[in-house]
């Protein structure tokens, strides 16, 4: 069967929809509400952190809800996508009818809740889909899915900037474009939300009682931590350590384009040599690539661009192969998979909340300022150590955990 007959592009398009509602919202929404409504950046940061904690709590519950609705999953996904698109329009294209900060929190609660529910349903359905594909189905599906997700991040990150050059309300245009993408993704996936031949879930217990599933969840937790740390500190590193304010968007786009371009190749390598050895190799290369950021300083933008290209390419392996391994295990122990991916989403998001709480207060206590303000040299050194050193150390732990797993099969 060809990839067209297998409808794999539909999974890439739906993944692009989800990714467009993820990280880009953290980039666009705070700036929009500061510029348009004069909301305090500190207040917005507090709301975002609270919403991230809400995600951590609700994701396992949404996994349970997805399982309860598995025979009506197509309808549930359509409603979830509609809520998320409407909330995106409310966030960017509607004048707040109440205090902007309250409206900001309410709309993002709907966006993030819809995002979490759709993500859990999507990855759970992917388990059943991959089992119907020839060969290493989970790796083939992951290659399409994660490439689509990374391209979605790239497009959503730059769309408001591009629209700003041709229209007076670029963020409203972004929101309407997102609504169109939501409609297209739902239409493309029609008929794919099937519960046939999938046995009922055994609940969280069957996932947590499986030693390999527990180990994969632990690896996901540790392996997501480096990305969480570097994402939390990226703007500070570029503006203060590199003294390059204004370069953040271009460097971030370069990073994700590199990841998107490399993801299919990691998937093909894994299909040939196995997911575990390829992922271990990629993790080692990731330490070598990202470790270069430890030695950069003011003016080293071009060198950091190379770090972004190299480390982004390696990220493509992390995003493609580890979820495929977990999906493979779910296909064997919990074929409905919804609650398993609720736990997977939980551990992935927990690292973002933890990174913000653990690192930002330490940097503030060290006297770290913002772009244009003088920071003590020891504060800048601590920033560099946290941004590049801590992720490399965490990646070493993830390598040790993955290397110790015995008897893992890729499909």
């Amino acid at each position: 069967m060809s990839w067209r007959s297998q409808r794999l592009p539909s999974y890439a398009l739906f993944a692009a929809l989800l990714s467009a509602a993820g990280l880009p919202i953290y980039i666009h929404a705070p700036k929009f509400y500061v510029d348009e409504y004069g909301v305090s950046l500190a207040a917005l940061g507090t709301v975002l952190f609270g919403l991230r904690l809400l995600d951590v709590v609700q994701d396992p519950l949404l996994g349970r809800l997805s399982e309860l609705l598995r025979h009506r999953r197509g309808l549930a996904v359509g409603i979830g996508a509609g809520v998320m698109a409407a909330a995106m329009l409310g966030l960017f294209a509607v004048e707040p009818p109440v205090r902007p900060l309250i409206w900001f929190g309410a709309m993002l609660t709907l966006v993030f809740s819809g995002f979490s529910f759709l993500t859990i349903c999507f990855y759970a359905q992917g388990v059943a889909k991959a089992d119907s594909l020839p060969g290493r189905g989970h790796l083939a599906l992951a290659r399409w899915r994660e490439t689509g997700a990374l391209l979605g991040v790239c497009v959503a990150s730059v769309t408001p900037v591009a629209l700003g050059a041709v229209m007076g309300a670029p963020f409203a245009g972004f929101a309407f474009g997102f609504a169109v993408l939501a409609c297209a993704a739902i239409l493309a996936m029609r008929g794919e939300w099937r519960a046939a031949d999938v046995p009922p879930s055994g609940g969280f217990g069957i996932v947590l009682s499986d030693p390999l599933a527990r180990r994969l969840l632990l690896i996901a937790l540790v392996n997501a931590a480096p990305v969480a740390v570097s994402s939390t500190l990226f703007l500070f590193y570029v503006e203060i350590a590199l003294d390059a304010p204004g370069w953040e968007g271009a460097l971030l786009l370069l990073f994700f384009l590199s990841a998107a371009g490399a993801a299919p190749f990691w998937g093909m390598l894994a299909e040939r040599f196995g997911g575990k050895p390829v992922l271990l190799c990629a993790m080692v290369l990731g330490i070598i690539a990202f470790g270069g950021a430890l030695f950069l300083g003011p003016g080293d933008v071009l060198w950091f661009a190379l770090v972004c290209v190299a480390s982004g390419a390696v990220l493509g392996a992390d995003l493609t192969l580890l979820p495929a391994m977990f999906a493979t295990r779910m296909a064997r122990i919990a074929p409905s998979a919804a609650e398993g991916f609720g736990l997977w989403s939980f551990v992935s998001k927990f690292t973002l909340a933890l990174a913000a709480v653990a690192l930002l207060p330490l940097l503030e206590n060290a006297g770290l300022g913002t772009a244009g303000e003088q920071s003590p040299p020891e504060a800048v050194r601590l920033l560099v150590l946290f941004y590049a050193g801590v992720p490399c150390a965490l990646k070493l732990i993830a390598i040790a955990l993955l290397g110790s797993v015995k008897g893992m099969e890729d499909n």
Side-chain angles (χ1 to χ4, degrees), residues 94-345:
V94 174
E95 187 79 17
V98 294
R99 288 180 56 193
L101 184 62
I102 295 175
W103 186 249
F104 176 83
M107 292 300 100
L108 277 188
T109 297
L110 295 175
V111 170
F112 288 161
S113 297
F115 169 83
S116 295
F117 180 71
L118 294 181
T119 299
I120 291 166
C121 291
F122 181 56
Y123 276 81
Q125 195 64 47
V127 172
K129 177 67 175 183
D131 284 341
S132 70
L133 300 177
R136 297 178 182 269
H138 290 283
L139 288 171
L141 178 61
R143 187 169 73 242
W144 279 89
R145 183 180 58 211
E146 306 310 330
T147 300
L150 289 164
L151 290 174
V153 168
C154 295
V155 173
S157 297
V158 302
T159 294
V161 178
L163 290 177
V166 296
M167 62 184 298
F171 289 99
F174 167 78
F176 280 105
F178 181 87
V180 172
L181 177 61
C183 293
I186 291 297
L187 288 174
M189 285 289 290
R190 66 189 185 280
E192 288 295 305
W193 309 104
R194 300 184 301 271
D197 302 324
V198 178
S201 169
F204 296 116
I206 194 170
V207 179
L208 295 175
S209 64
D210 181 71
L212 181 53
R214 288 200 310 270
R215 178 58 66 92
L216 288 172
L217 285 169
L218 178 60
I219 293 171
L221 176 67
V222 177
N223 197 53
V227 177
V229 170
S230 58
S231 298
T232 301
L233 300 180
F234 176 81
L235 295 179
F236 295 96
Y237 181 84
V238 174
E239 292 183 355
I240 298 173
L242 298 183
D243 192 22
W247 281 91
E248 302 91 345
L251 291 168
L252 196 63
L253 179 61
L254 186 65
F255 176 78
F256 283 114
L257 280 176
S258 180
F265 295 100
W266 289 114
M268 288 186 286
L269 286 173
E271 288 183 50
R272 181 173 181 180
F273 300 107
K276 179 181 174 181
V278 172
L279 182 56
L280 284 171
C281 179
M283 287 177 165
V284 173
L285 292 175
I287 293 175
I288 296 172
F290 197 65
L294 279 168
F295 307 102
L296 303 181
D300 290 333
V301 177
L302 291 180
W303 285 110
F304 185 62
L306 293 177
V307 170
C308 289
V309 170
S311 58
V314 174
L315 178 69
D318 280 350
L319 296 179
T320 303
L321 304 185
L322 200 54
M325 292 177 184
F326 187 71
T328 301
R329 191 59 184 171
M330 289 299 98
R332 298 202 171 142
I333 67 170
S336 70
E339 289 156 328
F341 277 103
L343 293 171
W344 184 267
S345 183

